[in-house]
Amino acid sequence: MEYIVEKIGMSRTITVPSKPVTLLRVLDTKVCEVNEGTAIVAYSSGKKMNKSIEGQQKKYSLSSEFNRIATMEVANTEAGDLDLTPLAEAKVLKSTFTTKGRGFSGGMKRWNFSGGPASHGHRFGRRTGSIGMAEWPGRVMKGKKMPGQYGNVTNSVKNEIVSYDAENKIIAVLGSVSGANGSLGRVKVAK
């Protein structure tokens, strides 16, 4: 079963020794349509509104706050509020978030290269250095670690559930989860 969650941030348990936990809040989600386990669901995110969103709200008779539509696996067999009971028994979650984007980055930041000497007339500095061979094969090999876009990719990680607050819909998972605080992602019950 999948759920759309918002990353609140990180904290730690008050046990001895304390453990690092990430707090995730399950968003209010309406199931619009169910087809063999997969469902079309609506949730609230920002203030975006256009004709296609208004058409979906009219089709599924949703209130104006539900302005995003997604497809995912749910426990529900019919339309209505999302069924959260599988979270109560879950032990492990698979979290999928988008990592923080760092833009166009050099080799030192992106790949942890050491760089060249910084003194005595060197011009090497933070450059990557040589990128290929001489006559053979006479090209840059595929997958060469070079400067470029760093971050802003989808990343999944499995986390053990420490606690689940059903009243406030907050899950505390062991360890870290990718993405900035306040970013939206999905969690899937893995075990």
Side-chain angles (χ1 to χ4, degrees):
M1 307 305 108
E2 287 180 296
Y3 301 93
I4 295 167
V5 294
E6 178 189 356
K7 180 178 174 181
I8 297 170
M10 288 195 75
S11 186
R12 62 183 179 200
T13 60
I14 55 171
T15 59
V16 177
S18 66
K19 295 178 182 177
V21 293
T22 304
L23 302 174
L24 306 171
R25 185 175 61 84
V26 181
L27 293 185
D28 291 329
T29 311
K30 296 271 188 200
V31 177
C32 303
E33 197 178 295
V34 182
N35 292 320
E36 298 165 19
T38 59
I40 297 169
V41 297
Y43 63 99
S44 173
S45 174
K47 294 181 180 179
K48 185 180 178 185
M49 192 58 69
N50 57 33
K51 292 254 177 123
S52 64
I53 293 169
E54 286 173 6
Q56 295 283 20
Q57 288 171 342
K58 195 172 182 182
K59 180 180 177 182
Y60 297 118
S61 60
L62 299 166
S63 62
S64 61
E65 65 180 290
F66 293 99
N67 60 348
R68 291 282 194 280
I69 304 286
T71 308
M72 56 189 208
E73 295 174 31
V74 295
N76 294 41
T77 53
E78 54 196 46
D81 287 333
L82 189 65
D83 185 16
L84 298 173
T85 50
L87 278 177
E89 295 107 43
K91 297 205 176 13
V92 176
L93 286 182
K94 182 180 178 184
S95 314
T96 305
F97 279 81
T98 303
T99 60
K100 287 181 182 178
R102 290 166 177 87
F104 190 98
S105 300
M108 286 179 74
K109 181 169 182 168
R110 190 179 183 200
W111 301 111
N112 201 23
F113 288 170
S114 59
S119 62
H120 300 298
H122 283 279
R123 294 178 181 169
F124 196 140
R126 296 177 63 89
R127 294 181 187 171
T128 51
S130 174
I131 61 165
M133 289 62 83
E135 192 173 341
W136 188 87
R139 61 190 170 90
V140 178
M141 303 302 282
K142 275 189 178 173
K144 180 72 182 157
K145 292 179 179 177
M146 292 175 76
Q149 167 65 37
Y150 176 38
N152 195 30
V153 292
T154 305
N155 185 29
S156 295
V157 64
K158 283 187 179 176
N159 298 86
E160 188 182 315
I161 293 178
V162 175
S163 70
Y164 171 59
D165 181 0
E167 189 180 332
N168 297 316
K169 299 180 185 176
I170 293 176
I171 311 164
V173 293
L174 191 65
S176 63
V177 165
S178 299
N181 293 345
S183 60
L184 299 182
R186 290 187 184 201
V187 294
K188 189 173 187 176
V189 176
K191 207 186 276 185

